[in-house]
Amino acid sequence: MKMKYKSMGGLDVKNGRLVNDREPGVSGIERAARIKKSMCRARRVDEIADGIELAEGRKNFYRL
């Protein structure tokens, strides 16, 4: 008997067996933690970039 469907929501049929090709599940708490961590990193990068920009401005101001 031949199956009509080759894929069922991330489950592929290969050699008569279902192979799970789905992405691993991520809970809402884990997703929120990742978002918070990425926001903290972005804030740090912005602060460092602002500091470098201020330092360059001061350097150019004192050269005048």
Side-chain angles (χ1 to χ4, degrees):
M1 182 169 133
K2 192 170 185 180
M3 294 183 66
K4 291 182 180 182
Y5 302 106
K6 292 288 181 182
S7 176
M8 295 179 285
L11 295 174
D12 293 329
V13 179
K14 294 181 184 175
N15 297 329
R17 293 182 177 180
L18 287 176
V19 178
N20 187 0
D21 290 334
R22 296 178 185 165
E23 294 182 16
V26 178
S27 69
I29 295 172
E30 187 176 351
R31 187 177 300 144
R34 283 187 188 168
I35 291 170
K36 183 178 178 184
K37 192 173 188 178
S38 67
M39 287 175 59
C40 288
R41 283 184 182 162
R43 189 177 301 126
R44 265 188 268 146
V45 168
D46 287 342
E47 288 174 356
I48 291 170
D50 289 342
I52 291 171
E53 188 176 340
L54 286 171
E56 291 292 326
R58 286 181 183 170
K59 212 177 356 177
N60 292 334
F61 179 74
Y62 288 123
R63 285 184 187 169
L64 295 176

